[in-house]
């Protein structure tokens, strides 16, 4: 038996002003996307903004349903829409912000496991790592690839 250690690298910013201009733009876009949240059950508004490799920014927001599992997270709304409408354009960066009753969380809301698995799928589809930015009011985290939010990714043995 050998004990192993896994290191995950990410950048943490105290303010959006410290970020690259293109990241600042994407953070603003995911904040804007939160306005599209339909979350009468949780009152948790999530916005996602996905920059594609062609520069286009696609937005998504969480959509809830009285039959709870029928709703969908903001990230998946954005990623599914992007892949459905621009199937050949890789993802570049995905920014996500979550607010509780309209107030941006101090520590960034983290994507759920299902969304991370979907991120992994698109990284595989496009054979192109993409960045993830998690936005909170006190700190913002930036990851360079999906492996950094989902270590030990499940990868089907039959595809790819
Ligand atoms: N939600 C997201 O939109 N993204 C996530 O990664 C986690 C959770 C949504 C689902 C639900 O509408 C609300 O946040 C509360 O869980």
């Amino acid at each position: 038996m050998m004990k192993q250690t896994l290191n995950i690298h990410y950048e943490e910013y105290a303010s959006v002003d410290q970020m690259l201009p293109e990241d600042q733009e994407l953070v603003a876009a995911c904040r804007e996307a939160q306005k599209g949240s339909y979350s009468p059950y949780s009152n948790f508004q999530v916005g996602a903004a996905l920059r594609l490799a062609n520069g286009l920014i696609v937005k998504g927001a969480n959509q809830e349903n009285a039959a709870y599992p029928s709703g969908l997270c903001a990230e998946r709304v954005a990623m599914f829409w992007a892949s459905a409408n621009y199937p050949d354009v890789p993802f570049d960066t995905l920014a996500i912000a979550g607010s509780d009753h309209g107030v941006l969380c101090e520590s960034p809301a983290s994507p759920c496991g299902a969304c991370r698995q979907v991120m992994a799928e698109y990284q595989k589809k496009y054979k192109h790592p993409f960045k993830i930015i998690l936005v909170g009011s006190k700190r913002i985290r930036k990851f360079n690839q999906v492996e950094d939010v989902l270590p030990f990714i499940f990868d089907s043995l039959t595809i790819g």
Side-chain angles (χ1 to χ4, degrees), residues 4-23:
Q4 305 284 12
T5 304
L6 181 71
N7 289 309
I8 290 182
H9 300 276
Y10 62 93
E11 296 163 12
E12 192 160 287
Y13 300 86
S15 158
V16 70
D17 307 327
Q18 301 166 351
M19 303 187 82
L20 295 169
E22 60 264 35
D23 290 344

Side-chain angles (χ1 to χ4, degrees), residues 88-146:
D88 301 323
V89 186
F91 298 176
D92 178 79
T93 310
L94 175 64
I96 305 155
S99 294
D100 193 1
H101 292 77
V103 180
L104 182 65
C105 298
E106 289 189 356
S107 211
S110 245
C112 75
C115 286
R116 293 174 201 219
Q117 188 63 39
V118 170
M119 290 176 198
E121 187 67 31
Y122 288 120
Q123 200 173 250
K124 186 169 77 163
K125 174 186 175 188
Y126 295 117
K127 300 181 177 61
H128 190 274
F130 67 90
K131 291 157 272 187
I132 298 140
I133 297 173
L134 306 181
V135 182
S137 63
K138 290 237 164 112
R139 58 197 74 90
I140 300 174
R141 297 191 176 115
K142 181 176 177 182
F143 302 82
N144 281 326
Q145 53 176 2
V146 174

Side-chain angles (χ1 to χ4, degrees), residues 56-75:
L56 193 83
I57 294 177
V58 166
K59 291 181 198 158
N62 58 327
Q63 304 297 314
E64 297 185 351
N65 193 282
Y68 286 11
S70 301
L72 199 62
C73 293
E75 302 90 313

